[in-house]
Short mmCIF file of all heavy atoms in Angstrom, two decimals:
data_model
loop_
_atom_site.label_atom_id
_atom_site.label_comp_id
_atom_site.label_asym_id
_atom_site.label_seq_id
_atom_site.Cartn_x
_atom_site.Cartn_y
_atom_site.Cartn_z
N ARG A 285 13.93 6.92 -18.40
CA ARG A 285 14.77 8.12 -18.57
C ARG A 285 16.22 7.84 -18.16
O ARG A 285 17.10 8.59 -18.54
CB ARG A 285 14.20 9.29 -17.75
CG ARG A 285 12.92 9.79 -18.39
CD ARG A 285 12.42 11.02 -17.69
NE ARG A 285 11.43 11.68 -18.53
CZ ARG A 285 10.41 12.37 -18.05
NH1 ARG A 285 10.27 12.51 -16.74
NH2 ARG A 285 9.56 12.95 -18.87
N ILE A 286 16.40 6.83 -17.37
CA ILE A 286 17.74 6.40 -16.97
C ILE A 286 17.93 5.02 -17.59
O ILE A 286 17.03 4.20 -17.51
CB ILE A 286 17.86 6.32 -15.43
CG1 ILE A 286 17.48 7.63 -14.77
CG2 ILE A 286 19.26 5.84 -15.00
CD1 ILE A 286 18.39 8.82 -15.07
N PRO A 287 19.06 4.75 -18.22
CA PRO A 287 19.23 3.41 -18.84
C PRO A 287 18.87 2.29 -17.86
O PRO A 287 19.31 2.29 -16.71
CB PRO A 287 20.74 3.37 -19.18
CG PRO A 287 21.10 4.82 -19.33
CD PRO A 287 20.25 5.58 -18.34
N GLU A 288 18.03 1.39 -18.35
CA GLU A 288 17.48 0.39 -17.44
C GLU A 288 18.35 -0.84 -17.25
O GLU A 288 18.08 -1.67 -16.39
CB GLU A 288 16.08 -0.03 -17.90
CG GLU A 288 16.08 -0.74 -19.27
CD GLU A 288 14.71 -1.15 -19.66
OE1 GLU A 288 14.29 -2.25 -19.26
OE2 GLU A 288 14.06 -0.39 -20.37
N ALA A 289 19.35 -1.00 -18.05
CA ALA A 289 20.20 -2.19 -17.93
C ALA A 289 21.66 -1.79 -17.84
O ALA A 289 22.47 -2.19 -18.66
CB ALA A 289 19.97 -3.11 -19.13
N PRO A 290 22.03 -1.00 -16.83
CA PRO A 290 23.40 -0.58 -16.75
C PRO A 290 24.30 -1.76 -16.38
O PRO A 290 23.90 -2.71 -15.74
CB PRO A 290 23.38 0.46 -15.63
CG PRO A 290 22.24 0.05 -14.77
CD PRO A 290 21.22 -0.53 -15.73
N GLY A 291 25.52 -1.63 -16.83
CA GLY A 291 26.48 -2.68 -16.53
C GLY A 291 27.35 -2.32 -15.36
O GLY A 291 27.11 -1.36 -14.63
N LEU A 292 28.36 -3.11 -15.21
CA LEU A 292 29.32 -2.97 -14.11
C LEU A 292 29.94 -1.56 -14.10
O LEU A 292 30.10 -0.95 -13.04
CB LEU A 292 30.39 -4.03 -14.26
CG LEU A 292 31.43 -4.15 -13.17
CD1 LEU A 292 30.79 -4.46 -11.85
CD2 LEU A 292 32.41 -5.25 -13.55
N ARG A 293 30.22 -1.02 -15.26
CA ARG A 293 30.84 0.31 -15.35
C ARG A 293 29.91 1.38 -14.79
O ARG A 293 30.36 2.30 -14.12
CB ARG A 293 31.18 0.62 -16.81
CG ARG A 293 31.80 2.03 -16.97
CD ARG A 293 32.22 2.28 -18.38
NE ARG A 293 33.27 1.32 -18.71
CZ ARG A 293 33.80 1.18 -19.88
NH1 ARG A 293 33.41 1.93 -20.89
NH2 ARG A 293 34.76 0.29 -20.11
N ASP A 294 28.61 1.29 -15.05
CA ASP A 294 27.65 2.28 -14.59
C ASP A 294 27.38 2.18 -13.10
O ASP A 294 27.13 3.20 -12.45
CB ASP A 294 26.31 2.12 -15.32
CG ASP A 294 26.42 2.31 -16.80
OD1 ASP A 294 27.02 3.32 -17.22
OD2 ASP A 294 25.93 1.43 -17.56
N LEU A 295 27.42 0.98 -12.56
CA LEU A 295 27.03 0.74 -11.18
C LEU A 295 28.21 0.63 -10.23
O LEU A 295 28.07 0.91 -9.05
CB LEU A 295 26.20 -0.54 -11.07
CG LEU A 295 24.84 -0.51 -11.74
CD1 LEU A 295 24.25 -1.91 -11.79
CD2 LEU A 295 23.92 0.45 -11.05
N GLY A 296 29.34 0.21 -10.72
CA GLY A 296 30.44 -0.15 -9.81
C GLY A 296 30.22 -1.57 -9.32
O GLY A 296 29.10 -2.08 -9.33
N LEU A 297 31.29 -2.21 -8.91
CA LEU A 297 31.24 -3.62 -8.55
C LEU A 297 30.23 -3.90 -7.42
O LEU A 297 29.41 -4.78 -7.51
CB LEU A 297 32.63 -4.14 -8.15
CG LEU A 297 32.69 -5.60 -7.72
CD1 LEU A 297 32.21 -6.51 -8.84
CD2 LEU A 297 34.09 -5.97 -7.27
N VAL A 298 30.31 -3.11 -6.32
CA VAL A 298 29.46 -3.39 -5.16
C VAL A 298 27.99 -3.20 -5.53
O VAL A 298 27.15 -4.06 -5.22
CB VAL A 298 29.88 -2.52 -3.97
CG1 VAL A 298 28.91 -2.69 -2.81
CG2 VAL A 298 31.30 -2.88 -3.52
N ASN A 299 27.65 -2.08 -6.17
CA ASN A 299 26.24 -1.83 -6.53
C ASN A 299 25.74 -2.88 -7.54
O ASN A 299 24.61 -3.32 -7.48
CB ASN A 299 26.05 -0.44 -7.09
CG ASN A 299 26.08 0.61 -6.01
OD1 ASN A 299 26.32 0.33 -4.85
ND2 ASN A 299 25.85 1.85 -6.39
N TRP A 300 26.61 -3.27 -8.46
CA TRP A 300 26.24 -4.30 -9.44
C TRP A 300 25.90 -5.61 -8.73
O TRP A 300 24.91 -6.26 -9.02
CB TRP A 300 27.38 -4.49 -10.44
CG TRP A 300 27.09 -5.45 -11.54
CD1 TRP A 300 26.38 -5.24 -12.67
CD2 TRP A 300 27.53 -6.81 -11.59
NE1 TRP A 300 26.32 -6.38 -13.43
CE2 TRP A 300 27.04 -7.37 -12.81
CE3 TRP A 300 28.28 -7.62 -10.74
CZ2 TRP A 300 27.26 -8.68 -13.16
CZ3 TRP A 300 28.53 -8.92 -11.12
CH2 TRP A 300 28.02 -9.45 -12.33
N LEU A 301 26.72 -6.00 -7.74
CA LEU A 301 26.48 -7.20 -6.98
C LEU A 301 25.20 -7.11 -6.16
O LEU A 301 24.40 -8.05 -6.12
CB LEU A 301 27.66 -7.53 -6.06
CG LEU A 301 28.93 -8.02 -6.75
CD1 LEU A 301 30.10 -8.08 -5.78
CD2 LEU A 301 28.69 -9.40 -7.40
N VAL A 302 24.97 -5.96 -5.54
CA VAL A 302 23.75 -5.74 -4.77
C VAL A 302 22.52 -5.87 -5.69
O VAL A 302 21.53 -6.54 -5.34
CB VAL A 302 23.75 -4.36 -4.05
CG1 VAL A 302 22.36 -4.00 -3.53
CG2 VAL A 302 24.76 -4.36 -2.93
N CYS A 303 22.59 -5.28 -6.86
CA CYS A 303 21.47 -5.35 -7.81
C CYS A 303 21.20 -6.80 -8.23
O CYS A 303 20.04 -7.21 -8.36
CB CYS A 303 21.73 -4.48 -9.02
SG CYS A 303 21.69 -2.72 -8.64
N LYS A 304 22.25 -7.57 -8.42
CA LYS A 304 22.09 -8.99 -8.79
C LYS A 304 21.44 -9.78 -7.64
O LYS A 304 20.55 -10.61 -7.88
CB LYS A 304 23.46 -9.61 -9.13
CG LYS A 304 24.07 -9.11 -10.42
CD LYS A 304 23.24 -9.51 -11.59
CE LYS A 304 23.91 -9.11 -12.90
NZ LYS A 304 23.04 -9.32 -14.05
N VAL A 305 21.85 -9.53 -6.42
CA VAL A 305 21.26 -10.22 -5.26
C VAL A 305 19.81 -9.84 -5.09
O VAL A 305 18.95 -10.70 -4.87
CB VAL A 305 22.10 -9.92 -3.98
CG1 VAL A 305 21.37 -10.40 -2.72
CG2 VAL A 305 23.47 -10.54 -4.07
N VAL A 306 19.51 -8.55 -5.18
CA VAL A 306 18.12 -8.10 -5.02
C VAL A 306 17.24 -8.72 -6.11
O VAL A 306 16.15 -9.22 -5.84
CB VAL A 306 18.02 -6.55 -5.06
CG1 VAL A 306 16.57 -6.09 -5.15
CG2 VAL A 306 18.69 -5.97 -3.82
N ALA A 307 17.71 -8.73 -7.34
CA ALA A 307 16.92 -9.33 -8.44
C ALA A 307 16.69 -10.81 -8.18
O ALA A 307 15.58 -11.32 -8.39
CB ALA A 307 17.64 -9.12 -9.77
N ALA A 308 17.70 -11.51 -7.70
CA ALA A 308 17.53 -12.95 -7.44
C ALA A 308 16.52 -13.17 -6.32
O ALA A 308 15.67 -14.06 -6.40
CB ALA A 308 18.89 -13.56 -7.05
N ARG A 309 16.58 -12.34 -5.27
CA ARG A 309 15.62 -12.49 -4.14
C ARG A 309 14.20 -12.17 -4.59
O ARG A 309 13.24 -12.72 -4.06
CB ARG A 309 16.03 -11.58 -3.00
CG ARG A 309 17.31 -12.07 -2.28
CD ARG A 309 17.61 -11.29 -1.06
NE ARG A 309 16.60 -11.58 -0.05
CZ ARG A 309 16.28 -10.76 0.94
NH1 ARG A 309 16.87 -9.61 1.05
NH2 ARG A 309 15.38 -11.11 1.82
N GLN A 310 14.07 -11.25 -5.54
CA GLN A 310 12.74 -10.88 -6.02
C GLN A 310 12.26 -11.75 -7.19
O GLN A 310 11.16 -11.59 -7.68
CB GLN A 310 12.72 -9.40 -6.45
CG GLN A 310 12.93 -8.46 -5.30
CD GLN A 310 12.97 -7.00 -5.72
OE1 GLN A 310 13.07 -6.68 -6.91
NE2 GLN A 310 12.92 -6.11 -4.77
N HIS A 311 13.14 -12.65 -7.64
CA HIS A 311 12.82 -13.56 -8.75
C HIS A 311 12.48 -12.78 -10.04
O HIS A 311 11.51 -13.08 -10.71
CB HIS A 311 11.69 -14.51 -8.39
CG HIS A 311 11.94 -15.27 -7.12
ND1 HIS A 311 12.88 -16.27 -7.03
CD2 HIS A 311 11.39 -15.13 -5.87
CE1 HIS A 311 12.89 -16.74 -5.79
NE2 HIS A 311 12.01 -16.06 -5.06
N VAL A 312 13.30 -11.78 -10.31
CA VAL A 312 13.16 -10.99 -11.53
C VAL A 312 14.53 -10.93 -12.24
O VAL A 312 15.56 -11.06 -11.60
CB VAL A 312 12.65 -9.55 -11.26
CG1 VAL A 312 11.24 -9.59 -10.69
CG2 VAL A 312 13.57 -8.79 -10.32
N PRO A 313 14.52 -10.75 -13.56
CA PRO A 313 15.81 -10.64 -14.27
C PRO A 313 16.63 -9.44 -13.84
O PRO A 313 17.85 -9.48 -13.76
CB PRO A 313 15.42 -10.51 -15.74
CG PRO A 313 14.00 -10.89 -15.83
CD PRO A 313 13.40 -10.73 -14.48
N ARG A 314 15.92 -8.32 -13.53
CA ARG A 314 16.62 -7.08 -13.18
C ARG A 314 15.74 -6.31 -12.18
O ARG A 314 14.55 -6.15 -12.43
CB ARG A 314 16.82 -6.24 -14.44
CG ARG A 314 17.93 -5.24 -14.34
CD ARG A 314 18.21 -4.62 -15.72
NE ARG A 314 19.11 -5.46 -16.53
CZ ARG A 314 18.72 -6.29 -17.50
NH1 ARG A 314 17.46 -6.40 -17.81
NH2 ARG A 314 19.60 -6.98 -18.17
N ALA A 315 16.31 -5.84 -11.11
CA ALA A 315 15.59 -5.00 -10.16
C ALA A 315 15.78 -3.54 -10.57
O ALA A 315 16.75 -2.89 -10.19
CB ALA A 315 16.12 -5.25 -8.74
N HIS A 316 14.85 -3.07 -11.37
CA HIS A 316 15.04 -1.77 -12.03
C HIS A 316 15.19 -0.58 -11.07
O HIS A 316 15.94 0.35 -11.37
CB HIS A 316 13.89 -1.52 -13.01
CG HIS A 316 13.92 -2.42 -14.18
ND1 HIS A 316 13.05 -3.47 -14.33
CD2 HIS A 316 14.75 -2.46 -15.26
CE1 HIS A 316 13.32 -4.11 -15.45
NE2 HIS A 316 14.35 -3.52 -16.03
N LEU A 317 14.49 -0.61 -9.96
CA LEU A 317 14.67 0.48 -8.98
C LEU A 317 16.13 0.54 -8.54
O LEU A 317 16.72 1.61 -8.48
CB LEU A 317 13.74 0.30 -7.80
CG LEU A 317 13.96 1.26 -6.63
CD1 LEU A 317 13.73 2.71 -7.06
CD2 LEU A 317 13.06 0.90 -5.47
N PHE A 318 16.69 -0.59 -8.25
CA PHE A 318 18.06 -0.64 -7.75
C PHE A 318 19.09 -0.34 -8.83
O PHE A 318 20.07 0.33 -8.59
CB PHE A 318 18.33 -1.99 -7.07
CG PHE A 318 17.55 -2.15 -5.80
CD1 PHE A 318 16.25 -2.64 -5.85
CD2 PHE A 318 18.08 -1.78 -4.59
CE1 PHE A 318 15.50 -2.76 -4.68
CE2 PHE A 318 17.34 -1.89 -3.41
CZ PHE A 318 16.05 -2.38 -3.46
N THR A 319 18.83 -0.83 -10.06
CA THR A 319 19.78 -0.50 -11.13
C THR A 319 19.69 0.96 -11.53
O THR A 319 20.67 1.51 -12.04
CB THR A 319 19.56 -1.39 -12.39
OG1 THR A 319 18.25 -1.21 -12.89
CG2 THR A 319 19.82 -2.86 -12.06
N THR A 320 18.58 1.58 -11.26
CA THR A 320 18.44 3.01 -11.52
C THR A 320 19.14 3.83 -10.41
O THR A 320 20.03 4.63 -10.69
CB THR A 320 16.95 3.42 -11.62
OG1 THR A 320 16.35 2.71 -12.71
CG2 THR A 320 16.81 4.91 -11.85
N LEU A 321 18.74 3.58 -9.16
CA LEU A 321 19.34 4.33 -8.08
C LEU A 321 20.82 4.02 -7.91
O LEU A 321 21.59 4.87 -7.47
CB LEU A 321 18.59 4.06 -6.76
CG LEU A 321 17.14 4.53 -6.69
CD1 LEU A 321 16.57 4.23 -5.33
CD2 LEU A 321 17.00 5.99 -7.04
N GLY A 322 21.19 2.81 -8.27
CA GLY A 322 22.59 2.39 -8.15
C GLY A 322 23.55 3.19 -9.03
O GLY A 322 24.75 3.18 -8.81
N GLN A 323 23.01 3.91 -10.00
CA GLN A 323 23.84 4.72 -10.86
C GLN A 323 24.27 6.03 -10.17
O GLN A 323 25.09 6.78 -10.69
CB GLN A 323 23.13 4.98 -12.18
CG GLN A 323 22.99 3.70 -12.99
CD GLN A 323 22.25 3.91 -14.27
OE1 GLN A 323 22.71 4.62 -15.15
NE2 GLN A 323 21.06 3.30 -14.36
N HIS A 324 23.69 6.29 -9.00
CA HIS A 324 24.14 7.38 -8.12
C HIS A 324 24.59 6.65 -6.84
O HIS A 324 23.82 6.45 -5.92
CB HIS A 324 23.00 8.35 -7.84
CG HIS A 324 23.42 9.56 -7.07
ND1 HIS A 324 24.13 9.50 -5.88
CD2 HIS A 324 23.23 10.86 -7.35
CE1 HIS A 324 24.33 10.72 -5.45
NE2 HIS A 324 23.82 11.59 -6.31
N LYS A 325 25.83 6.25 -6.85
CA LYS A 325 26.34 5.32 -5.83
C LYS A 325 26.11 5.78 -4.40
O LYS A 325 25.61 5.02 -3.56
CB LYS A 325 27.80 5.03 -6.10
CG LYS A 325 28.01 4.29 -7.42
CD LYS A 325 29.46 4.32 -7.87
CE LYS A 325 29.65 3.74 -9.22
NZ LYS A 325 29.11 4.50 -10.32
N ARG A 326 26.49 7.00 -4.08
CA ARG A 326 26.34 7.46 -2.70
C ARG A 326 24.86 7.57 -2.31
O ARG A 326 24.49 7.28 -1.18
CB ARG A 326 27.03 8.80 -2.51
CG ARG A 326 28.55 8.65 -2.45
CD ARG A 326 29.28 9.94 -2.19
NE ARG A 326 28.70 10.71 -1.13
CZ ARG A 326 28.70 12.05 -1.11
NH1 ARG A 326 29.23 12.72 -2.09
NH2 ARG A 326 28.17 12.69 -0.11
N LEU A 327 24.04 8.01 -3.21
CA LEU A 327 22.62 8.16 -2.92
C LEU A 327 21.99 6.81 -2.60
O LEU A 327 21.24 6.67 -1.63
CB LEU A 327 21.90 8.84 -4.07
CG LEU A 327 20.40 9.06 -3.86
CD1 LEU A 327 20.16 10.02 -2.71
CD2 LEU A 327 19.78 9.61 -5.13
N MET A 328 22.30 5.80 -3.40
CA MET A 328 21.73 4.49 -3.15
C MET A 328 22.11 4.00 -1.75
O MET A 328 21.26 3.46 -1.03
CB MET A 328 22.18 3.48 -4.21
CG MET A 328 21.50 2.11 -3.99
SD MET A 328 21.81 0.97 -5.31
CE MET A 328 22.76 -0.28 -4.48
N TRP A 329 23.37 4.19 -1.37
CA TRP A 329 23.82 3.69 -0.07
C TRP A 329 23.31 4.52 1.08
O TRP A 329 23.33 4.08 2.23
CB TRP A 329 25.34 3.56 -0.06
CG TRP A 329 25.70 2.33 -0.83
CD1 TRP A 329 26.16 2.24 -2.11
CD2 TRP A 329 25.51 0.98 -0.41
NE1 TRP A 329 26.29 0.93 -2.50
CE2 TRP A 329 25.90 0.13 -1.46
CE3 TRP A 329 25.07 0.39 0.77
CZ2 TRP A 329 25.86 -1.26 -1.38
CZ3 TRP A 329 25.03 -0.99 0.87
CH2 TRP A 329 25.42 -1.80 -0.21
#
Side-chain angles (χ1 to χ4, degrees):
R285 289 186 165 148
I286 304 295
E288 64 179 275
L292 185 60
R293 178 176 297 175
D294 299 310
L295 294 169
L297 179 61
V298 174
N299 284 5
W300 183 81
L301 288 170
V302 167
C303 290
K304 291 293 185 188
V305 169
V306 170
R309 289 187 70 205
Q310 294 177 349
H311 307 288
V312 295
R314 202 171 277 100
H316 291 106
L317 172 61
F318 292 86
T319 60
T320 299
L321 295 182
Q323 293 178 65
H324 187 308
K325 295 165 186 69
R326 285 183 46 213
L327 180 64
M328 184 171 115
W329 284 101

